[in-house]
Amino acid sequence: MDIANSVALVTGASRGLGRHFATQLLERGASKVYATARNPESVDLPGAEVLRLDITDPASVAAVAEAASDVTLLVNNAGIITTHGLVDGDLDQIELEMDTAYYGPLRMIRAFAPILKAGGGGAIVNVLSVASWVPSEHWGAYSAAKAAAWSLTNSVRLELSGQNTLVTGLYLGPTDTDMARGVPFEKNDPADVVKATLDGIEAEQAEVIADALSVQAKANLALDPAVIYTPAAVSA
């Protein structure tokens, strides 16, 4: 997958990782970048084609797929974090997390898979999280949604392998964006994360694991759950 001359669509492109994705795609020679957001007026990216998109709205997804029928690279970046737990959190907020992190990317993949196939296969990037592998007693809804998106990514990779579509999962810990404001940990530089991801796409990597925290979290999956899924272990 060559970034140069690709036609990319980035969800949640108004700020954070999404803005960095759109900017670097343009810098690396993408022939067109669709920068999408629920509020398109919030997107200020010279050279990008801005589209309105709400990934939780099937009609909005369908309209964008019709408008951007030349896409060869789909970046599923849009996300939220509600900081709700699963046991006593607001169920509407829990459902919103799942709709945004799981059903939203699924809608996009279902809408764009035929477009990618028609263009020779292309690529999909799903922006996931270390939370796919590390739960939180405080942000259980976010962790559960990202874990579901991890499984989605792996399943879709299998389903789309026959049409030559690369499916890459990006895993990262706290990163210096608006979403992580106030998180009391050392944070990744979002520009470095995006560069590593775009390099990974060109190298046809199935996963880009952006930091040491995420590397360790994946390795810990082989351990006894009674050891790693405790409040002390998760907060370490």
Side-chain angles (χ1 to χ4, degrees):
M1 177 76 197
D2 291 328
I3 300 299
N5 301 315
S6 65
V7 177
L9 186 146
V10 182
T11 68
S14 62
R15 59 182 183 171
L17 279 179
R19 183 180 176 83
H20 280 276
F21 267 113
T23 299
Q24 290 193 32
L25 283 161
L26 288 167
E27 291 173 348
R28 291 171 72 144
S31 62
K32 186 187 298 183
V33 175
Y34 295 104
T36 73
R38 284 179 296 176
N39 300 307
E41 61 276 7
S42 66
V43 180
D44 179 18
L45 285 167
E49 185 167 331
V50 180
L51 296 175
R52 182 185 303 275
L53 173 63
D54 179 354
I55 63 169
T56 69
D57 178 0
S60 180
V61 171
V64 163
E66 182 175 355
S69 60
D70 52 350
V71 164
T72 61
L73 170 59
L74 170 64
V75 181
N76 283 317
N77 164 77
I80 60 167
I81 182 166
T82 67
T83 67
H84 279 254
L86 293 172
V87 176
D88 56 6
D90 185 315
L91 189 57
D92 288 340
Q93 293 298 301
I94 293 169
E95 291 175 348
L96 178 60
E97 292 263 17
M98 189 65 70
D99 203 15
T100 305
Y102 178 80
Y103 286 109
L106 177 58
R107 290 184 189 100
M108 293 296 293
I109 290 167
R110 288 168 63 94
F112 280 90
I115 293 171
L116 295 174
K117 181 179 181 180
I124 298 168
V125 179
N126 288 340
V127 177
L128 303 172
S129 170
V130 67
S132 301
W133 302 322
V134 179
S136 168
E137 61 180 316
H138 305 294
W139 300 347
Y142 180 77
S143 299
K146 287 298 187 180
W150 170 38
S151 182
L152 163 70
T153 300
N154 291 331
S155 295
V156 166
R157 183 179 300 117
L158 292 173
E159 293 187 30
L160 296 184
S161 61
Q163 69 172 49
N164 197 35
T165 297
L166 173 69
V167 179
T168 300
L170 167 60
Y171 303 87
L172 67 161
T175 300
D176 193 12
T177 64
D178 289 346
M179 184 177 288
R181 183 181 294 132
V183 175
F185 296 104
E186 183 178 351
K187 297 172 186 174
N188 302 311
D189 183 334
D192 291 342
V193 170
V194 169
K195 180 182 183 303
T197 306
L198 297 181
D199 288 346
I201 295 168
E202 293 196 318
E204 299 189 351
Q205 294 178 6
E207 290 185 344
V208 174
I209 303 181
D211 50 44
L213 179 64
S214 300
V215 170
Q216 186 60 57
K218 186 175 184 184
N220 286 349
L221 293 174
L223 301 179
D224 183 349
V227 174
I228 61 172
Y229 296 140
T230 67
V234 168
S235 62

